[in-house]
């Protein structure tokens, strides 16, 4: 078995686990008679001709009376199930595909919003670092900055979605995340195989074809989810497949780069990939949120902040090494 195969197998194994984990979307809580009756009674009492007032900060986030009833009943049913004495105590269940979170300032999943913000800031600071220390003439600089812009859009969509879960915010989150993941695959071979160079002639041609292929794939992806089927399992499979390819390439590149330079920073991509894989494992250990707020998904978002900061430092080191080598060759 080659070194590349050994790197790929753990990624493929994780992909299979994620597909299995992402295939279940039914929620027991939605079907509970107690929950249905609670929501019905709440709407009759609070949402009639003289509805119960909703605080301004929640109305800004589009909380309506029926939505308030749904959220309140989730916690009433959950508290009742947990308050029963053993052996009659029952576990926390999901409602509408999500755990019953406690809101903060009207935010539906406050820690996911916070950790998405940290990822946004990590990209913002990283982009500032690249702008300051990499000259504008460096060909790969624009690809790295575009990677940052995709990250900013993706984590903005994530903040909006976790603040308030609507069909529109969900679609924006998924489409932005998909674009960010696919762009991560797009610029990987451009750096590894230096498709940014103008010679030999096949490199610009290959870059154009590769750009067209990625645009086509993303367009087809969005069209399928929008016009054909909003398929969670397919969406997860597509993102995992793209992530596996880019991670495998960066892992291979880190080995080759280290063998050439004999510098520790050259293996950072492989270490960052390993960190991200471990962080993704949190999604496999889904559990009711601690304190009603902190769950596995929010911890996964927290787990990507460090690798993002580290990644921008690698891009900077790699660019500086490349520029120095170019100057030495010019002499």
């Amino acid at each position: 078995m080659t070194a590349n195969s050994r790197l790929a197998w753990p990624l493929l194994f994780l992909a299979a686990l994620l597909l299995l984990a992402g295939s279940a979307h039914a929620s027991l809580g939605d079907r509970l008679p107690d929950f249905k009756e609670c929501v019905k009674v709440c709407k009759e009492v609070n949402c009639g001709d003289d509805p119960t007032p909703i605080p301004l900060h929640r109305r800004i986030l589009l909380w309506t009376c029926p939505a308030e009833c749904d959220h309140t009943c989730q916690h009433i049913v959950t508290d009742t199930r947990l308050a029963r004495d053993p052996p009659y105590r029952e576990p926390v269940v999901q409602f509408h595909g999500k755990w019953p979170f406690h809101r903060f300032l009207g935010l539906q999943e406050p820690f996911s919003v916070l950790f998405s913000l940290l990822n946004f800031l990590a990209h913002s600071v990283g982009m500032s670092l690249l702008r300051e220390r990499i000259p504008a003439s460096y060909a790969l600089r624009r690809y790295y900055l575009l990677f940052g812009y995709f990250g900013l859009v993706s984590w903005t969509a994530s903040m909006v979605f976790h603040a308030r879960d609507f069909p529109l915010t969900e679609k924006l989150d998924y489409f932005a995340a998909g674009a960010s993941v696919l762009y991560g695959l797009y610029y990987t071979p451009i750096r590894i195989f230096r498709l940014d160079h103008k010679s030999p002639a096949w490199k610009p041609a290959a870059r154009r074809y590769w750009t067209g292929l990625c645009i086509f794939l993303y367009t087809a992806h969005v069209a399928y989810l929008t016009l054909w089927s909003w398929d969670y399992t397919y969406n997860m499979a597509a993102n995992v497949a793209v992530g596996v390819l880019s991670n495998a390439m960066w892992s291979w590149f880190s080995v080759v780069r280290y063998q050439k330079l004999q510098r520790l920073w050259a293996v950072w991509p492989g270490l960052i990939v390993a960190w991200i894989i471990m962080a993704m494992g949190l999604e496999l250990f889904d559990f009711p949120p601690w304190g009603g707020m902190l769950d596995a998904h929010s911890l996964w978002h927290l787990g990507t902040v460090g690798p993002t900061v580290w990644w921008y430092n690698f891009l900077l080191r790699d660019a500086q090494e490349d520029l120095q080598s170019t100057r030495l060759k010019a002499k």
Side-chain angles (χ1 to χ4, degrees):
M1 183 180 290
T2 65
N4 293 346
S5 299
R6 287 194 294 270
L7 288 168
W9 274 112
L11 295 171
L12 293 174
F13 176 68
L14 177 63
L17 289 176
L18 284 174
L19 289 176
L20 291 173
S23 62
H25 298 283
S27 298
L28 174 61
D30 304 355
R31 302 191 299 271
L32 292 175
D34 291 351
F35 175 70
K36 293 179 179 180
E37 181 64 21
C38 177
V39 173
K40 178 183 176 182
V41 171
C42 179
K43 288 181 180 179
E44 291 174 351
V45 173
N46 297 286
C47 304
D49 296 332
D50 185 23
T52 301
I54 300 173
L56 176 61
H57 67 280
R58 293 181 189 169
R59 281 187 279 124
I60 290 173
L61 291 173
L62 305 182
W63 285 97
T64 62
C65 187
E68 288 281 330
C69 283
D70 189 289
H71 178 81
T72 300
C73 286
Q74 288 184 30
H75 288 282
I76 290 174
V77 171
T78 299
D79 292 343
T80 301
R81 289 168 65 87
L82 293 176
R84 292 170 181 155
D85 295 328
Y88 304 105
R89 183 176 300 160
E90 297 178 281
V92 178
V93 294
Q94 293 188 342
F95 299 83
H96 314 300
K98 290 192 173 187
W99 296 110
F101 289 91
H102 288 300
R103 295 175 296 190
F104 178 74
L105 299 178
L107 300 175
Q108 199 164 351
E109 299 174 58
F111 275 105
S112 287
V113 174
L114 173 61
F115 298 151
S116 294
L117 174 61
L118 293 182
N119 278 281
F120 178 94
L121 294 175
H123 278 283
S124 180
V125 172
M127 292 172 70
S128 297
L129 185 70
L130 296 183
R131 288 193 186 98
E132 291 173 5
R133 301 190 185 182
I134 298 179
S137 59
Y138 184 58
L140 287 171
R141 183 178 186 262
R142 61 179 179 139
Y143 292 101
Y144 296 164
L145 290 177
L146 195 53
F147 163 75
Y149 284 119
F150 272 96
L152 294 179
V153 171
S154 176
W155 289 110
T156 298
S158 177
M159 284 187 280
V160 172
F161 171 59
H162 290 298
R164 282 295 277 123
D165 180 358
F166 294 114
L168 176 61
T169 59
E170 181 183 44
K171 285 180 171 59
L172 292 175
D173 179 48
Y174 278 48
F175 292 157
S180 181
V181 171
L182 183 58
Y183 184 80
L185 175 63
Y186 168 72
Y187 85 99
T188 296
I190 291 177
R191 166 58 190 96
I192 292 176
F193 303 113
R194 296 314 305 260
L195 299 183
D196 59 299
H197 288 170
K198 295 180 180 180
S199 61
W202 66 267
K203 288 192 174 184
R207 187 176 68 250
R208 287 193 296 271
Y209 284 121
W210 176 235
T211 301
L213 176 61
C214 287
I215 292 173
F216 169 76
L217 290 174
Y218 182 71
T219 302
H221 173 71
V222 172
Y224 173 78
L225 289 174
T226 304
L227 304 175
W228 186 260
S229 173
W230 185 253
D231 189 332
Y232 291 94
T233 302
Y234 157 74
N235 183 72
M236 176 69 75
N239 281 279
V240 168
V242 171
V244 166
L245 286 175
S246 57
N247 287 345
M249 280 194 285
W250 280 115
S251 297
W252 169 78
F253 177 73
S254 68
V255 173
V256 174
R257 194 74 167 150
Y258 178 75
Q259 290 174 342
K260 179 181 179 180
L261 300 176
Q262 294 295 306
R263 296 183 181 178
L264 185 59
W265 64 262
V267 301
W268 285 0
L271 298 176
I272 293 169
V273 165
W275 183 337
I276 292 174
I277 290 173
M278 288 188 292
M280 287 178 69
L282 289 168
E283 293 278 47
L284 303 179
F285 301 102
D286 200 13
F287 51 82
W290 298 330
M293 289 188 178
L294 192 65
D295 71 328
H297 185 74
S298 63
L299 290 175
W300 148 240
H301 285 337
L302 176 62
T304 58
V305 177
T308 301
V309 175
W310 196 358
W311 186 253
Y312 278 100
N313 279 276
F314 163 73
L315 293 178
L316 176 62
R317 287 285 192 93
D318 185 59
Q320 290 173 335
E321 173 67 27
D322 191 29
L323 287 166
Q324 184 177 3
S325 298
T326 302
R327 292 191 200 99
L328 290 175
K329 289 179 182 178
K331 292 180 181 180

